[in-house]
Amino acid sequence: MNQTFKKSLQSYGNFLKSFLLRAFTFSKGYEFEENNLNTNNDQPINEDELINKNKQNVDMGPSKDDENDKLKEEAIMSPGRVALRNYFRNPLGIIGLILFVAIVLVIFVGSRVLPFDQYYSQGNLTNVAPGGAYMNYPKEFEDEGVSKISIGNTFSVGLGKENNLYVWGSDNEDNVLNIPNEIKKNLNEKEIIDVAAGDRHIIVATSDNEIYGWGNNSFNQADSPAMEEAKIKEEGIAKLGGGVQYSVVLTKANNLVVWGSTLASRLNLLPSDINGNVVDFATNPINILAIQKDGSIRLLGVMGSELDTQMPEELKDGSVKVKKVALTSSSGAALSEDGKLYVWGPSRDNLAGENIPEFEADLVDIAASDTVLTALDANGKIYQWGKDNYGELSTPEGEFEQIYSSYFNNYAVRNESGEIETWGLNGFRFGSDDQGRDIFTRLIHGGKMTMIISLISTVIQIVLGVLIGMVSGFVGGKVDNVLMRFSEIVASFPFYPMLISLSALLPPGASQEERITMVMILLGLLGWTGLARLVRGQILAERERDYITAARALGVKNWSIMIKHILPNILSIVIVNATIGYAGNLLTESGLSFLGFGVQEPTPSWGNMLTAAQSSDVLNTYWWRWVFPALAVFLTSFSVNLIGDALRDAIDPRANER
């Protein structure tokens, strides 16, 4: 009896030791292995050895108990949480999700932030390559001091106070930034008296009345005019000017010489009565506005527009003495000797009348870019108004002494420091198209159109496919035969010819909204058959299972069985086909718009942006016009397919087992 009692006490002592040791090892982060306990009464437990052994077990990896704990954790998790966890364990699924979310954010947030006018085009900026730094002038130019700045469409040229020449910006395939070696040598030996930039060329005048030019020379606008060269040398050069593929010289004898592309603008037919009468001038793409000796102004070039018909009479007859003129693309401005500003032109330009701001002091200078007028008052303050297409109205604050504007850029020189401020167009991220439109902006707004069309058409396909497939598979019999024969008829239609034929049936005056709605509906109505057959096949397999029999025995209605019991079990197929269908609809819409039967210009979509790829010149030379839209379609379709595959693996239990 006593021996038995002693053994009981010893056993109880061993239990207390094991309990304390278990608590100790748990607090240290070690997993206690119960099999390591030695219950032999004759051999007491070595606690240090046991702890070391458990450390080794931890280093060897998770034990069976860990796996059991994980299984228990999964057992109490909802199917949605399990699927979510499984999805984020798939690296390709994460990549696809991140990529798709990034695309959606860029497209939909960017379309709200970036201003966009689908009807705006700019002929002076056609086929500009991707890039920027149009206004990154050399620091040495600022240190030397500004004598003059002349601005082209993507570049500028400056003349320093120490007679040094500076060129900066983007070439735009005209090699305008590289001064030819022969010209550079001649300029180093001579004094430069004036510089001027046309849209894509530069001309320079030297003190010996020679003219040098480079850049685009399609109409010899960068060469000295052979027929007038002797006249220019004899009379001397007072001022240079440049326009869209033409050049201008004002001689010291008050004569204008114009050469280059002048037939369309009629600038080659200057009236004889202005000879010897011009003291200053301003240019735009098709006109020259000249100041005459008597202070009146004269419009040369294309006549009959608002720039001609709305010019104030007091400026024409000389009753107001004009000292400075400026021309936007379609409006004019004149500054009188008493500081009064006159502006005229079409009302759509938002430049004349009530659009003119209130000035705090008399104006001393005016300048014009493509759609904006810039004025400088006697206090050095800058005023700007007009249409802001490329940030031309981002007017700097402070006191300035010089202003220069043309095309799409502005420069201003501060009073005391001589620091140069710049604002306006500083480049196109993805280049421009054949109409001078920013491809990046069109890509953003076109992507919104393409993704919305694809989304709505995919929703229609899913609703029709799931509904018809479930009814056909669950009901069976004659209903199944009728629905499947109907789906076969729809599937037998040639897809693209059908869409093209129906698109052609739209009336000629159909709006863009009607055309887009038709594309969405047709994509949905003709694309559901594959999903319906897949759903029907799954329903046929699921409806014979025991849980369906049990639901029927309990009196559950057929619609409830289909929606609450069968649909969750085929959800993986529906989701995968929805993602694949969405990616397919992206490509289909792009293809239709590419062929001219989807979204029509000027409304952008990724498809009609790819239409330019039909030209070999675009494929070889202007690669950015098709590479970026094609890349957008590919990345969006690729990311959606990755998401669909990852969702299938996450939802399907059999995929988890694999």
Side-chain angles (χ1 to χ4, degrees):
M1 182 69 181
N2 292 335
Q3 189 69 22
T4 303
F5 181 71
K6 288 181 180 179
K7 287 182 178 182
S8 299
L9 289 177
Q10 190 175 8
S11 176
Y12 182 70
N14 290 335
F15 168 75
L16 290 177
K17 288 182 180 180
S18 66
F19 177 80
L20 293 174
L21 182 60
R22 189 187 297 270
F24 172 77
T25 56
F26 179 80
S27 65
K28 292 295 185 181
Y30 306 131
E31 182 173 351
F32 188 79
E33 188 174 332
E34 189 172 355
N35 292 333
N36 289 332
L37 289 176
N38 190 342
T39 57
N40 190 333
N41 295 334
D42 299 328
Q43 297 180 1
I45 296 174
N46 189 329
E47 297 179 5
D48 295 334
E49 181 181 351
L50 184 58
I51 292 174
N52 291 332
K53 187 177 291 185
N54 279 283
K55 285 183 179 180
Q56 295 175 0
N57 290 338
V58 172
D59 295 336
M60 290 174 63
S63 65
K64 292 182 179 180
D65 291 338
D66 288 333
E67 296 178 0
N68 291 334
D69 291 339
K70 290 180 180 178
L71 292 174
K72 291 177 182 178
E73 182 182 355
E74 287 186 1
I76 62 175
M77 289 174 65
S78 65
R81 291 184 62 189
V82 173
L84 187 64
R85 185 199 61 187
N86 292 339
Y87 180 89
F88 283 101
R89 286 179 177 177
N90 188 329
L92 291 179
I94 296 175
I95 293 173
L97 181 62
I98 293 174
L99 182 59
F100 184 72
V101 170
I103 292 172
V104 170
L105 289 176
V106 170
I107 294 299
F108 287 91
V109 175
S111 62
R112 297 295 298 271
V113 174
L114 287 176
F116 177 64
D117 180 5
Q118 65 182 16
Y119 299 103
Y120 177 77
S121 61
Q122 182 48 252
N124 291 324
L125 294 172
T126 58
N127 298 319
V128 176
Y134 292 178
M135 298 181 291
N136 289 5
Y137 58 86
K139 181 63 177 174
E140 297 80 7
F141 179 45
E142 184 179 70
D143 295 339
E144 179 180 340
V146 177
S147 177
K148 183 179 180 180
I149 297 175
S150 188
I151 305 162
N153 56 3
T154 62
F155 64 92
S156 299
V157 56
L159 180 62
K161 292 182 177 180
E162 298 177 6
N163 199 43
N164 291 314
L165 187 68
Y166 301 90
V167 183
W168 63 93
S170 175
D171 271 326
N172 191 20
E173 74 179 344
D174 295 311
N175 207 27
V176 73
L177 300 184
N178 297 320
I179 305 175
N181 291 329
E182 184 179 351
I183 295 178
K184 187 181 297 185
K185 180 180 178 181
N186 290 329
L187 294 179
N188 288 336
E189 298 172 353
K190 301 179 180 181
E191 179 186 358
I192 301 173
I193 59 174
D194 200 8
V195 296
D199 62 329
R200 297 163 61 182
H201 70 283
I202 294 173
I203 54 174
V204 176
T206 57
S207 56
D208 59 354
N209 298 316
E210 291 282 352
I211 296 176
Y212 301 92
W214 63 94
N216 184 280
N217 201 27
S218 302
F219 298 90
N220 298 320
Q221 68 269 26
D223 296 332
S224 179
M227 300 294 293
E228 305 286 347
E229 190 171 5
K231 176 182 178 180
I232 293 173
K233 285 187 176 181
E234 179 183 350
E235 296 181 1
I237 298 174
K239 181 180 178 180
L240 294 179
V244 176
Q245 298 191 349
Y246 73 87
S247 301
V248 187
V249 167
L250 174 63
T251 69
K252 293 180 180 179
N254 305 112
N255 290 314
L256 282 179
V257 177
V258 185
W259 73 100
S261 177
T262 59
L263 291 178
S265 61
R266 301 180 182 178
L267 288 172
N268 59 320
L269 303 175
L270 297 178
S272 58
D273 60 339
I274 71 165
N275 291 333
N277 203 27
V278 179
V279 296
D280 199 1
F281 67 91
T283 63
N284 74 3
I286 57 176
N287 290 104
I288 294 176
L289 187 60
I291 304 177
Q292 302 185 103
K293 287 182 178 180
D294 62 356
S296 65
I297 60 176
R298 185 85 171 264
L299 185 67
L300 308 173
V302 176
M303 310 300 287
S305 66
E306 292 94 331
L307 182 59
D308 174 33
T309 59
Q310 296 185 11
M311 184 186 298
E313 288 297 328
E314 58 268 31
L315 300 180
K316 296 180 182 180
D317 58 22
S319 57
V320 172
K321 307 299 181 182
V322 176
K323 67 176 182 179
K324 187 68 182 290
V325 290
L327 281 178
T328 68
S329 59
S330 54
S331 294
L335 180 62
S336 65
E337 292 181 352
D338 58 2
K340 185 177 180 180
L341 181 65
Y342 297 82
V343 181
W344 67 97
S347 58
R348 63 178 180 274
D349 284 1
N350 299 329
L351 290 170
E354 297 179 353
N355 297 294
I356 302 175
E358 294 290 335
F359 306 116
E360 298 178 2
D362 291 340
L363 298 182
V364 296
D365 198 5
I366 56 170
S369 58
D370 186 66
T371 58
V372 173
L373 284 174
T374 305
L376 180 69
D377 71 10
N379 296 329
K381 183 177 180 179
I382 295 177
Y383 306 85
Q384 286 191 296
W385 65 102
K387 286 187 176 181
D388 189 2
N389 295 312
Y390 301 106
E392 301 101 309
L393 292 180
S394 302
T395 313
E397 298 290 338
E399 295 183 3
F400 299 87
E401 61 180 1
Q402 301 174 55
I403 55 172
Y404 302 97
S405 298
S406 187
Y407 291 100
F408 318 102
N409 297 116
N410 301 274
Y411 294 82
V413 181
R414 292 191 179 274
N415 273 342
E416 298 179 356
S417 64
E419 180 184 353
I420 302 174
E421 293 285 347
T422 65
W423 66 101
L425 175 64
N426 203 32
F428 293 109
R429 301 172 184 86
F430 291 172
S432 67
D433 63 9
D434 57 337
Q435 297 185 46
R437 300 172 298 190
D438 182 15
I439 287 180
F440 178 77
T441 303
R442 289 181 61 81
L443 200 67
I444 295 296
H445 290 268
K448 180 180 178 181
M449 180 65 65
T450 297
M451 296 183 77
I452 289 176
I453 291 175
S454 302
L455 176 63
I456 295 177
S457 58
T458 302
V459 170
I460 296 174
Q461 291 175 1
I462 293 172
V463 172
L464 291 177
V466 171
L467 182 61
I468 294 174
M470 288 182 66
V471 172
S472 178
F474 192 82
V475 176
K478 293 182 179 180
V479 175
D480 182 25
N481 286 330
V482 170
L483 292 177
M484 285 300 99
R485 299 299 79 76
F486 176 70
S487 68
E488 289 169 0
I489 293 172
V490 175
S492 65
F493 289 147
F495 191 69
Y496 274 100
M498 183 72 177
L499 285 172
I500 292 172
S501 299
L502 292 175
S503 298
L505 292 177
L506 286 174
S511 65
Q512 190 70 269
E513 290 75 14
E514 292 174 344
R515 186 176 294 275
I516 293 171
T517 302
M518 183 215 66
V519 171
M520 292 187 296
I521 294 176
L522 288 180
L523 284 175
L525 293 179
L526 297 179
W528 58 269
T529 56
L531 179 59
R533 295 183 71 84
L534 284 173
V535 170
R536 173 183 175 271
Q538 289 295 313
I539 295 294
L540 290 175
E542 293 291 331
R543 73 177 185 178
E544 303 301 330
R545 295 185 181 274
D546 292 340
Y547 72 92
I548 299 299
T549 304
R552 283 174 171 167
L554 292 173
V556 180
K557 295 181 180 180
N558 289 337
W559 282 106
S560 181
I561 292 175
M562 284 191 292
I563 295 174
K564 294 183 178 180
H565 297 277
I566 297 180
L567 182 59
N569 286 284
I570 64 170
L571 193 60
S572 60
I573 291 180
V574 174
I575 292 176
V576 171
N577 277 272
T579 55
I580 294 174
Y582 182 77
N585 288 335
L586 278 171
L587 299 174
T588 303
E589 186 281 327
S590 300
L592 284 172
S593 299
F594 172 76
L595 295 172
F597 296 97
V599 181
Q600 300 292 308
E601 291 279 4
T603 303
S605 77
W606 289 343
N608 62 29
M609 291 180 69
L610 285 169
T611 305
Q614 298 177 80
S615 169
S616 59
D617 289 339
V618 173
L619 290 172
N620 296 326
T621 306
Y622 309 123
W623 54 268
W624 58 89
R625 287 173 51 185
W626 64 270
V627 165
F628 292 117
L631 190 62
V633 174
F634 166 74
L635 290 177
T636 306
S637 301
F638 179 64
S639 64
V640 172
N641 282 325
L642 288 180
I643 292 173
D645 289 340
L647 284 174
R648 178 196 60 196
D649 295 341
I651 293 173
D652 190 356
R654 288 167 291 186
N656 294 335
E657 292 176 3
R658 293 192 296 270

